[in-house]
């Protein structure tokens, strides 16, 4: 089975990398960019298990996301 | 309008960061992980423009993705 995990900074956490990208786009003339957020996406291929979702959540909590400053969202595919 | 850009390494490009994450998961007992890819996701809020998609493509080509080693995919929302 396939799964996808999105990891994003929580609202309110400063994101200087996103500000730099936005500034770069503005200086290149892309003034229509009003806001920009950078996140990570992790695509996993997993052995089928009945408790796959629970274990994915554990992977996020323990390694994939820093839950102090990041939130995560799990999408399970086929 | 909102748009989302996915940036991934092209197939065949070495991804040591993904290997490190996969190794970490294995050493924590998550042996069901068969493969893992790391990507970036960029969420943008844009002023409405008729040529928005074309300009997003230009942003990707010029700044958001390194097209030598990365591919990108644009999703336009509402």
């Amino acid at each position: 089975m396939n799964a996808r995990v999105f990891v994003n900074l929580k609202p309110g956490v400063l994101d200087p990398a996103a500000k730099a990208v936005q500034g770069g786009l503005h200086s290149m003339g892309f003034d229509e960019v009003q806001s920009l957020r950078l996140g990570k996406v992790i695509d996993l291929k997993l052995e089928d298990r009945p408790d796959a979702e629970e274990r994915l959540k554990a992977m996020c909590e323990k390694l994939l996301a820093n839950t102090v400053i990041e939130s995560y969202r799990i999408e399970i595919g086929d």
Side-chain angles (χ1 to χ4, degrees), chain A:
Chain A
M1 60 177 281
N2 293 302
R4 173 169 275 186
V5 175
F6 291 93
V7 178
N8 271 97
L9 282 177
K10 288 184 177 171
V13 178
L14 285 180
D15 189 354
K19 285 275 165 250
V21 174
Q22 189 174 346
L25 289 171
H26 283 175
S27 72
M28 292 166 83
F30 297 110
D31 296 315
E32 68 264 44
V33 180
Q34 294 170 331
S35 73
L36 184 151
R37 291 182 68 79
L38 294 175
K40 284 177 285 188
V41 56
I42 303 151
D43 289 303
L44 300 114
K45 207 170 164 212
L46 303 164
E47 264 169 58
D48 283 324
R49 288 180 61 121
D51 57 349
E53 185 159 3
E54 213 172 294
R55 286 178 62 92
L56 264 172
K57 207 177 153 192
M59 290 181 213
C60 289
E61 295 281 338
K62 290 183 181 164
L63 185 84
L64 300 180
N66 175 351
T67 55
V68 178
I69 55 167
E70 292 172 327
S71 58
Y72 61 86
R73 187 162 58 81
I74 296 168
E75 274 180 13
I76 298 204
D78 47 290

